[in-house]
Amino acid sequence: MDEAVTAVGEYVRYEYNARARWSHTLVLEQIVEDQPIPEPSCLDGERACPPEDSGGPIGYREFLNVQASTGLFDPERFVPAESDAAVTIAVALHKSPPVGSSLFEKFLRRLSVHSAPKLFAAVAKSELRGGYDNYFEVMREGATRQLLWLLNSARGGGIVLTAFGSLPPDLVASARDELDWDSEWIGVTAGSGSQLAVLVEVAKTLRFVRKLRGTLLLTRLGASVLAYEGELWRHIVTAMPLGKGELAQEAGRILFLTLAAGLSESERSEVMIEGLTALGWSTTDGTRLGDDDWTWMVRDTLVYLRMIGAIVSNPLDEHVSADPEWGRRFARMVLSK
């Protein structure tokens, strides 16, 4: 632009969409010397932008004639703040773009940088187009190892549970030996608070196993992901984030963003609350969201990520991240789909 227009009154004309032939004219109205260069912003305007693929100027006129009876599109509507927010989001995505046409990119476009500045700062840190080559095997093993152990243990006739509904002692011992889990957490009976109980819960959430008459059985899906190499990994990546409903999905994407960005526990909480609030979620009584609220909203995904060790609490300092690098790479892969 500096080379194309150099004096007030000069202009540039360009054509948008060669087939539709929208003609745009940009006029240089003023030159301000020795001023800091702000981010691009929308100062003013009029009329609504024609929707994409409305057929160019001629097709747009026909579109307006059809819309006149429905009232679904107001051609005179223009809100500077909305247009400015759209410009700001475009700038943020340009600086640290997610993979084009991904679900996460569409999710981000629903947010304003002004309403979620910490979230967009996390986007800039997350390196969403970072490579995975040196971490792929580590990611795959980290995401599937425990589930693979449980599904293989349930092959054939399934796993007969104890009278308390937990895994039998011999499998508890096997898990302790094969999965290198902390023996102090895995109890002899693998009670409700143990890692094994969490593992079974995650496997049920992913629809890999089900309980029937005191036995833990593979589902048809569970058997199929064991039958083909790499299928378990592909299914896990596709299934993320976990949880039913719009709230669980949106909260899960923000959680994966905080992991990809390498945020600490305190930073993660701030971004989760800010992002969910910006999307319009609140408590039932309308009060500000807190830590208990967002952890409940994203419970299924958070339980899984903690179980595999992708999200790790730092008991010494909640302001310093303890999450492993492979977990960050795993989160980027999930957000790229």
Side-chain angles (χ1 to χ4, degrees), residues 67-328:
Q67 292 294 311
S69 60
T70 66
L72 297 177
F73 177 77
D74 181 4
E76 299 302 327
R77 174 181 170 81
F78 182 84
V79 180
E82 292 180 0
S83 294
D84 188 48
V87 172
T88 308
I89 289 174
V91 172
L93 293 178
H94 177 73
K95 287 183 175 180
S96 182
V99 175
S101 301
S102 65
L103 293 174
F104 185 61
E105 181 194 34
K106 296 175 182 177
F107 165 79
L108 280 181
R109 292 191 181 281
R110 296 180 51 205
L111 291 165
S112 163
V113 176
H114 300 295
S115 63
K118 293 178 181 178
L119 184 146
F120 276 92
V123 174
K125 294 179 181 178
S126 59
E127 302 174 3
L128 293 177
R129 298 196 179 186
Y132 315 105
D133 293 346
N134 296 333
Y135 287 87
F136 182 78
E137 292 302 326
V138 179
M139 284 192 300
R140 183 165 67 175
E141 182 179 8
T144 63
R145 185 183 183 195
Q146 294 136 347
L147 285 165
L148 191 60
W149 174 87
L150 180 67
L151 299 186
N152 278 319
S153 299
R155 279 180 183 270
I159 301 172
V160 179
L161 304 174
T162 68
F164 299 100
S166 49
L167 298 184
D170 60 327
L171 272 184
V172 176
S174 174
R176 188 180 297 130
D177 294 338
E178 296 180 35
L179 298 179
D180 298 325
W181 269 342
D182 182 359
S183 59
E184 293 182 1
W185 191 1
I186 299 182
V188 175
T189 59
S192 60
S194 74
Q195 288 165 298
L196 289 178
V198 171
L199 175 56
V200 171
E201 178 186 352
V202 169
K204 290 173 65 177
T205 300
L206 286 163
R207 298 181 291 110
F208 292 153
V209 298
R210 63 189 179 96
K211 288 184 180 180
L212 179 65
R213 299 189 183 95
T215 303
L216 192 68
L217 300 170
L218 289 180
T219 62
R220 186 173 298 176
L221 176 60
S224 69
V225 297
L226 280 180
Y228 302 98
E229 184 178 0
E231 190 63 26
L232 177 59
W233 161 252
R234 285 190 290 272
H235 183 82
I236 287 173
V237 173
T238 302
M240 296 295 145
L242 299 176
K244 297 179 180 179
E246 185 180 14
L247 172 57
Q249 291 293 302
E250 291 183 341
R253 289 194 176 92
I254 300 174
L255 180 64
F256 272 109
L257 172 63
T258 67
L259 177 56
L263 300 188
S264 66
E265 292 178 71
S266 60
E267 291 171 327
R268 172 171 291 127
S269 182
E270 292 174 356
V271 170
M272 290 296 305
I273 292 172
E274 178 190 78
L276 289 167
T277 301
L279 287 167
W281 299 105
S282 63
T283 61
T284 53
D285 58 2
T287 57
R288 184 178 183 274
L289 294 174
D291 288 347
D292 291 340
D293 299 309
W294 74 258
T295 52
W296 172 82
M297 293 173 178
V298 76
R299 180 184 183 280
D300 288 338
T301 302
L302 185 59
V303 165
Y304 168 74
L305 291 174
R306 284 177 172 168
M307 181 195 77
I308 65 174
I311 287 182
V312 181
S313 296
N314 186 345
L316 300 178
D317 191 347
E318 67 172 5
H319 301 288
V320 177
S321 174
D323 302 334
E325 180 62 28
W326 71 262
R328 294 187 62 186

